[in-house]
Amino acid sequence: EAQVTQNPRYLITVTGKKLTVTCSQNMNHEYMSWYRQDPGLGLRQIYYSMNVEVTDKGDVPEGYKVSRKEKRNFPLILESPSPNQTSLYFCASRRAGRGYGYTFGSGTRLTVV
Amino acid sequence: AQTVTQSQPEMSVQEAETVTLSCTYDTSESDYYLFWYKQPPSRQMILVIRQEAYKQQNATENRFSVNFQKAAKSFSLKISDSQLGDAAMYFCAYRRPNYGGSQGNLIFGKGTKLSVKP
């Protein structure tokens, strides 16, 4: 089954404790992206990648890191999480080319206390 | 910068009836793509329908259709024969083509919560 897999689905952590949210896609998509969803704000892009070793900032990159060492994986790293990073996070991927929509993972609910 | 506006935070429809969700966007581009995503309580983001701006014909996917008015920058979603399973948040999204270094980021509206009454 073609899908984007995120882990974990739920995570509660403490301020300052480094964490990684994994994302993997099995569709050989070139583009991958991380979004966060907050009430009343919709979804906002954190980072994106156009292919292996090619990443760039989205609209809200502060406090996050990413890497794209393999085409299928695009982990999101929070080096020192803070309570304002409590949110619902989505990883998404799509093929390069005209008109393709993003396929989303199931989301990761992160709470930082 | 492009923006997407969904002016209806909440909508309600009777089962089997038709409902239209509104979306407007602001852009100076002539080539772009528009999408509607559905987010049920399971929180999964599901692509419902897409429209390419250079195509004049409105997209249709089964009970879902759009009314794309390019000059008015309007992209509404019509759901016919509404079903209980249609209850969800619906997000309108805009994307530029990925050329000239642009990565074609999705820009989302804030969503419309649709309730379906039995």
Side-chain angles (χ1 to χ4, degrees), chain A:
Chain A
E1 181 188 353
Q3 60 185 357
V4 177
T5 303
Q6 284 180 239
N7 281 296
R9 289 211 68 190
Y10 299 91
L11 180 59
I12 300 174
T13 190
V14 296
T15 299
K17 185 177 181 181
K18 181 180 179 179
L19 67 91
T20 299
V21 184
T22 64
C23 174
S24 181
Q25 50 95 4
N26 62 0
M27 297 166 282
N28 201 36
H29 286 172
E30 290 81 10
Y31 285 75
M32 297 187 76
S33 188
W34 277 101
Y35 290 86
R36 62 177 286 174
Q37 183 179 12
D38 301 290
L41 296 178
L43 284 87
R44 295 175 293 167
Q45 191 186 50
I46 304 170
Y47 267 94
Y48 66 92
S49 171
M50 297 172 76
N51 216 320
V52 176
E53 301 292 2
V54 181
T55 63
D56 207 348
K57 297 176 181 178
D59 298 320
V60 287
E62 294 77 21
Y64 304 95
K65 284 177 58 177
V66 294
S67 68
R68 187 95 180 269
K69 293 184 172 58
E70 303 167 283
K71 196 171 185 179
R72 63 184 292 126
N73 295 325
F74 191 46
L76 179 69
I77 303 158
L78 285 73
E79 295 267 0
S80 183
S82 62
N84 65 11
Q85 292 179 298
T86 293
S87 187
L88 178 59
Y89 291 86
F90 286 99
C91 181
S93 71
R94 69 171 178 90
R95 285 182 61 181
R98 294 185 65 87
Y100 291 105
Y102 275 93
T103 300
F104 282 78
S106 299
T108 296
R109 173 71 70 186
L110 173 64
T111 302
V112 184
V113 298

Side-chain angles (χ1 to χ4, degrees), chain A residues 9-10 31 35 37 40-43 45 48 50 59 88 90 94 97-102 104-109, chain B residues 31 33 35 37 39 42-45 47 50 52 54 91 95-98 101-110:
Chain A
R9 289 211 68 190
Y10 299 91
Y31 285 75
Y35 290 86
Q37 183 179 12
L41 296 178
L43 284 87
Q45 191 186 50
Y48 66 92
M50 297 172 76
D59 298 320
L88 178 59
F90 286 99
R94 69 171 178 90
R98 294 185 65 87
Y100 291 105
Y102 275 93
F104 282 78
S106 299
T108 296
R109 173 71 70 186
Chain B
D31 189 17
Y33 314 106
F35 304 86
Y37 280 88
Q39 187 179 40
S42 67
R43 80 188 187 204
Q44 178 75 44
M45 293 289 287
L47 178 63
R50 78 186 76 183
E52 300 188 44
Y54 69 89
F91 291 95
R95 181 167 83 75
R96 294 177 62 198
N98 46 296
S102 166
Q103 50 87 30
N105 178 30
L106 273 176
I107 299 170
F108 286 89
K110 294 183 179 180

